[in-house]
């Protein structure tokens, strides 16, 4: 009898959990052990961190413990922090032990590269960000302080940022909240972005989203600056290269991202930014048996822009990558080749009192389909429904719904 294959997945979020479930769906427990290693004990529905920041969700409402759903699927859960990956010896090293693997999927997400701009925060400077659970909770406290003492604010992204969608959501959600509370007249709002035009989002734009966002900002009296390189954030302002500074008492600035330190410093694994180079099956371009999905995978930007903007790796794209990688491992175990697919993108952008649904295929222009852009309050309801549905499916170990928006 052949020994069981050992499959290790690092990360328990969109990439890791989806890959682990999909692997188990395709490979029975007599053929392979599947181990998920995650430094976080819980799965968190990251897109709702903006709602945690706005105070309309708690972290408990948008997360669940990973151990029970994984063990129900005969997947081992190791609540450990990975220190390094030795791709020559094929082991994942944690403080507690070494996990040998035949196949490894790295889905470790990002590190906020706050060192890129002086003052990016919140734990490295006066800036704020929704990029992790702790940062979203900190931002919620900062927003509470703004309600008590209204003043000018800047929302935006630093040069090299890739995850710009949440900045748009926060500026619209804040505008909506401040109007509702009759505080908006005391809060001049600016949106500062490295994107060459509104709605570029690191994807080269999407149909008429530029016009829609420009109109929405003008209607809501949100001043915007594009191709803007933020150089410094202080307690009083945000400095922009070549154009001086914008007064700001609350600066929410999305940082550029890098790969996590354990991956970045593991020899032969990552590029200089700490992301993992992959092929169309999300296999590492040289390390045998290694895959990377989600934010951990390296993608080139879509074209050059005057101020750098990087390619976004959304939750929806992360899931597609996880499915492709899992299918490839299952096929290789069966002695077959699997197919791959171009990534598409779908998301719902919360605009406070309304929302816009965006769908593009493929992600990079030129595209086969004219992008779908649809605005209306129904999309806000759909975004809320999707969060609930997704969390339920993920907790039950069910295949995630793919037809609804993100
Ligand atoms: C505020 C915000 C809003 C967003 N909104 C949307 C949206 O509306 N739609 C959309 O499609 N996408 C959205 N995204 C993007 C989406 O959340 C990401 O694409 C997705 O989280 C990426 O999943 P991932 O599995 O690659 O990484 P992550 O979600 O970052 O997960 C990383 C995992 O790796 C684990 N890990 C990290 N380091 C270690 C270590 N050393 N050892 C062990 N485990 C480790 C973590 O515990 C975690 O489980 C948003 C992102 C943010 C921040």
């Amino acid at each position: 009898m052949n020994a069981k294959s050992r499959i290790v997945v690092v990360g328990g979020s969109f990439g890791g959990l989806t890959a682990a479930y999909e692997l188990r769906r395709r490979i029975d427990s007599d053929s392979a052990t599947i181990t998920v290693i995650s430094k976080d004990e819980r799965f968190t529905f990251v897109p709702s961190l903006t709602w945690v920041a706005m105070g309309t969700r708690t972290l408990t409402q948008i997360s669940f413990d990973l151990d029970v759903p994984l063990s129900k699927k005969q997947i081992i859960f190791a609540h450990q922090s990975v220190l390094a990956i030795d791709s020559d010896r094929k082991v994942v090293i944690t403080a507690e032990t070494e996990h040998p693997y035949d196949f490894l999927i790295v889905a470790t997400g990002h590190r906020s590269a706050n060192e890129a701009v002086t003052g990016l925060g919140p734990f490295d400077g006066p800036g704020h960000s929704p990029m992790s659970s702790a940062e979203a909770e900190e931002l919620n406290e900062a927003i509470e302080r703004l309600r008590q003492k209204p003043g000018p604010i800047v929302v935006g992204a630093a040069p090299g940022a890739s995850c710009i969608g949440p900045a748009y959501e926060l500026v619209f959600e804040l505008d909506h909240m401040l109007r509702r509370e009759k505080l908006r007249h005391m809060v001049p709002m600016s949106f500062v972005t490295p994107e060459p035009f509104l709605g570029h989002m690191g994807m080269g734009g999407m149909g008429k989203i530029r016009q829609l966002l420009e109109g929405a900002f003008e209607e809501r009296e949100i001043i915007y600056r594009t191709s803007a390189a933020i150089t410094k954030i202080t307690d009083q302002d945000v400095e922009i290269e070549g154009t001086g500074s914008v007064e700001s008492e609350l600066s929410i600035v999305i940082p550029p991202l890098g790969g996590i330190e354990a991956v970045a410093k593991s020899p032969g694994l990552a590029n200089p930014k700490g992301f993992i180079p992959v092929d169309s099956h999300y296999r590492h371009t040289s390390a045998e048996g290694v895959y990377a999905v989600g934010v951990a995978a390296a993608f080139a930007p879509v074209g050059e822009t005057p101020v750098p903007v990087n390619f976004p790796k959304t939750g929806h794209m992360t899931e597609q990558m996880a499915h492709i990688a899992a299918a490839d491992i299952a096929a290789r175990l069966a002695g077959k080749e699997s197919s791959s697919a171009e990534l598409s993108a779908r998301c719902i952008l919360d605009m406070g009192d309304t929302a816009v649904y965006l769908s593009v295929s493929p992600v990079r222009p030129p595209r086969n389909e004219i992008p779908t852009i649809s605005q209306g309050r129904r999309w806000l309801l759909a975004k809320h429904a999707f969060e609930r549905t997704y969390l339920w499916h993920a907790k039950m170990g069910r295949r995630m719904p793919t037809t609804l928006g993100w």
Side-chain angles (χ1 to χ4, degrees):
M1 201 173 102
N2 288 338
K4 280 190 193 184
S5 295
R6 297 157 305 179
I7 307 174
V8 173
V9 179
V10 187
S13 183
F14 291 102
L17 191 61
T18 306
Y21 284 156
E22 187 62 13
L23 283 161
R24 184 47 87 221
R25 199 177 71 79
R26 290 171 176 271
I27 308 164
D28 65 39
S29 52
D30 292 335
S31 309
T33 61
I34 301 171
T35 305
V36 170
I37 308 172
S38 174
K39 75 172 169 57
D40 291 315
E41 209 167 4
R42 291 171 76 79
F43 172 93
T44 299
F45 190 78
V46 177
S48 295
L49 289 181
T50 49
W51 292 341
V52 171
M54 294 302 300
T56 53
R57 290 285 188 283
T58 63
L59 285 178
T60 312
Q61 287 171 327
I62 61 159
S63 64
F64 60 83
D65 281 333
L66 284 163
D67 57 351
V68 174
L70 285 172
S71 65
K72 278 190 187 154
K73 297 274 170 191
Q74 286 86 47
I75 297 169
I76 301 158
F77 178 52
H79 177 212
Q80 296 168 9
S81 201
V82 169
L83 303 177
I85 293 165
D86 185 333
S87 52
D88 289 331
R89 289 198 298 127
K90 290 191 148 192
V91 288
V92 176
I93 301 158
T94 67
E96 292 81 1
T97 188
E98 290 194 350
H99 297 267
Y101 65 82
D102 300 300
F103 293 102
L104 168 66
I105 298 184
V106 182
T108 42
H110 76 274
R111 177 183 81 81
S112 289
N114 286 345
E115 69 282 3
V117 172
T118 307
L120 277 175
F123 306 120
D124 301 301
H128 304 273
S129 145
M131 294 304 293
S132 65
S133 300
E135 288 166 312
E137 287 199 312
E138 189 280 339
L139 178 54
N140 176 244
E141 289 166 20
I143 291 172
E144 273 308 310
R145 289 195 293 276
L146 176 80
R147 294 165 93 166
Q148 304 307 320
K149 188 174 162 293
I153 68 172
V154 166
V155 181
S162 50
C163 184
I164 302 179
Y168 283 99
E169 292 195 313
L170 281 167
V171 81
F172 284 122
E173 287 168 27
L174 282 164
D175 171 78
H176 179 57
M177 178 200 85
L178 291 165
R179 282 179 202 282
R180 217 180 39 223
E181 298 185 7
K182 306 279 180 254
L183 297 172
R184 180 65 174 87
H185 65 294
M186 290 188 270
V187 184
M189 296 178 79
S190 303
F191 189 81
V192 181
T193 178
E195 298 161 282
F197 52 86
L198 294 184
H200 180 283
M201 307 255 186
M203 292 188 213
M206 286 156 269
K208 289 190 179 164
I209 188 68
R210 172 186 184 158
Q211 290 84 345
L212 188 149
L213 289 171
E214 284 175 355
F217 275 18
E218 280 154 21
E219 223 167 48
R220 290 167 175 75
E221 294 167 271
I222 300 167
I223 295 160
Y224 60 88
R225 297 195 193 191
T226 53
S227 290
I230 294 175
T231 51
K232 192 174 179 184
I233 299 161
T234 72
D235 286 323
Q236 300 85 37
D237 62 11
V238 168
E239 293 179 16
I240 302 168
E241 195 172 70
T243 58
S245 60
V246 182
E247 204 189 341
S248 176
E249 287 170 18
L250 171 71
S251 307
I252 306 169
V253 180
I254 306 284
L257 307 181
I260 66 154
E261 201 189 331
V263 168
K265 68 172 205 227
S266 294
L269 206 63
N271 69 17
K273 284 187 179 171
F275 295 125
I276 299 181
V278 289
D279 67 12
S280 61
H281 291 86
Y282 301 97
R283 294 181 195 166
H284 194 287
T285 48
S286 57
E288 168 46 33
V290 179
Y291 292 69
V293 300
V295 179
F299 283 84
V302 169
E304 260 189 43
T305 47
V307 179
V309 182
N310 279 304
F311 184 77
K313 292 163 260 185
T314 65
H316 178 230
M317 290 183 216
T318 298
E319 287 224 315
Q320 295 167 66
M321 296 183 223
H323 280 286
I324 293 169
D328 195 63
I329 292 174
R332 284 171 75 184
L333 283 175
K336 297 178 188 159
E337 272 293 317
S338 73
S339 59
S340 184
E342 288 270 8
L343 296 180
S344 60
R346 200 162 43 220
C347 78
I348 299 175
L349 192 82
D350 180 353
M351 295 176 71
D353 52 351
T354 180
V356 59
Y357 170 78
L358 313 160
S359 166
V360 293
S361 178
V363 170
R364 286 172 191 267
R367 302 183 174 115
N368 297 322
E369 291 168 15
I370 301 212
T372 306
I373 312 280
S374 167
Q375 191 185 356
R377 211 179 140 68
R378 68 186 182 285
W379 292 116
L380 201 53
L381 303 177
K383 191 165 173 88
H384 284 260
F386 183 72
E387 175 212 53
R388 294 287 105 202
T389 316
Y390 191 100
L391 278 164
W392 185 82
H393 278 76
K395 199 172 171 178
M396 292 296 146
R398 299 257 178 111
R399 207 156 181 194
M400 316 303 177
T402 51
T403 45
L404 270 168
W406 266 79

